[in-house]
Amino acid sequence: MTPPPAEALLFEVPPPPTSVERLLHLADQYTQHNDALDLVLRSTATSGPNTHADSALRAAASSQSAIKAIQGERLYESVELTETVMRLQQLAFLAAASADLRAGTARQLTALAPEAAVSCAVTLATEMRRRRWASTPVADHRLTAVQRDALTEIARGHVVAGSSLEREFARSREPKVLMSTLRALESRGLVERSADSAHPAYVGGPPQDRVRLTETGIASLAAVLELPPARPSAAPGTTPRPLPAAAQATARSR
């Protein structure tokens, strides 16, 4: 068979994101939208009511696209799946409504959107694995439980990074994401930093760097959402053996 010309390889189209990956992308989109609003609110320049309108409408459209992708999976209806779609519809409505409001009020409407999108991704991943166990994606078992937690917190928009006195630091909610964990994920191409894109740590301070998942990071997290953490196997010879009957009787008599 004649191999395809080299020019054709230049135009290979990557596979479309899965529905779970699409929801993680949506969470990142809302995080970027909220970060932009935060910087506007802390800016001394006067902003008009339509400063964030385009971004809000794009987020609303992406929420609707995520709903269509879920419906395209043709999963049997369940309470969990119905509630997931309803939550995404609410996100789309809130984002669209925020386009007509000033930045302060608009920021409140989308404040919880990243967390909600990740929660929807978790629910959808659970439902898909429960119904299509045979096609479950292979999880990246090289991820430790700490790294998995860190990727999830980053997807929720909870992690920023910065530097002070020539020392780098990471800020997050619980569970804490350590700078050593962040560097390990960066070395594997799973996360990246958007410089000066997040709100300052204190009034008048410099913007912080938003930590975001890369395409590879999104795929890795989507593959392990709601999977039980890997348990270390017991070392040979460490499992206690039952006592002989005579020894058990002696122990009970003491």
Side-chain angles (χ1 to χ4, degrees):
M1 183 176 67
T2 304
E7 293 80 3
L9 299 178
L10 298 177
F11 298 97
E12 286 189 5
V13 179
T18 66
S19 297
V20 175
E21 292 171 355
R22 189 184 294 270
L23 290 174
L24 295 178
H25 277 290
L26 181 64
D28 177 63
Q29 184 175 356
Y30 274 112
T31 297
Q32 294 183 71
H33 173 72
N34 289 344
D35 281 342
L37 281 174
D38 284 337
L39 294 181
V40 167
L41 291 172
R42 286 165 173 77
S43 173
T44 56
T46 303
S47 61
N50 297 323
T51 303
H52 59 282
D54 290 344
S55 175
L57 293 177
R58 285 195 297 270
S62 296
S63 300
Q64 294 289 359
S65 297
I67 293 173
K68 292 180 180 178
I70 293 174
Q71 293 171 338
E73 297 288 350
R74 299 186 179 277
L75 299 173
Y76 288 108
E77 291 293 336
S78 69
V79 173
E80 293 80 8
L81 196 61
T82 300
E83 290 180 348
T84 294
V85 172
M86 289 176 61
R87 182 171 296 184
L88 290 171
Q89 289 173 337
Q90 291 172 347
L91 291 183
F93 175 81
L94 292 173
S98 72
D100 297 325
L101 304 174
R102 291 194 173 274
T105 307
R107 179 65 173 85
Q108 296 177 16
L109 292 187
T110 57
L112 302 179
E115 295 180 57
V118 173
S119 177
C120 289
V122 171
T123 301
L124 180 61
T126 303
E127 287 293 291
M128 293 181 69
R129 292 194 178 107
R130 183 167 65 85
R131 300 160 190 239
R132 300 176 178 176
W133 60 270
S135 59
T136 298
V138 178
D140 188 348
H141 295 295
R142 296 174 301 168
L143 291 175
T144 66
V146 171
Q147 290 173 335
R148 287 170 56 173
D149 288 344
L151 290 178
T152 304
E153 289 302 294
I154 292 169
R156 290 172 175 153
H158 291 174
V159 185
V160 294
S163 61
S164 178
L165 301 176
E166 299 183 351
R167 294 188 62 180
E168 290 186 315
F169 61 83
R171 295 184 185 275
S172 61
R173 304 182 188 179
E174 294 293 340
K176 293 292 185 181
V177 177
L178 301 179
M179 179 53 68
S180 58
T181 302
L182 177 57
R183 291 195 185 103
L185 294 173
E186 285 179 319
S187 68
R188 296 175 54 182
L190 300 179
V191 303
E192 61 186 3
R193 308 184 207 183
S194 294
D196 302 332
S197 62
H199 60 82
Y202 53 90
V203 177
Q208 300 179 98
D209 301 341
R210 171 63 62 192
V211 181
R212 301 169 53 202
L213 300 181
T214 63
E215 294 287 342
T216 304
I218 286 177
S220 295
L221 179 58
V224 298
L225 277 179
E226 280 303 280
L227 286 179
R231 300 293 183 186
S233 57
T238 59
T239 303
R241 296 181 180 180
L243 293 173
Q248 293 182 24
T250 302
R252 287 194 295 267
S253 65
R254 291 180 179 177

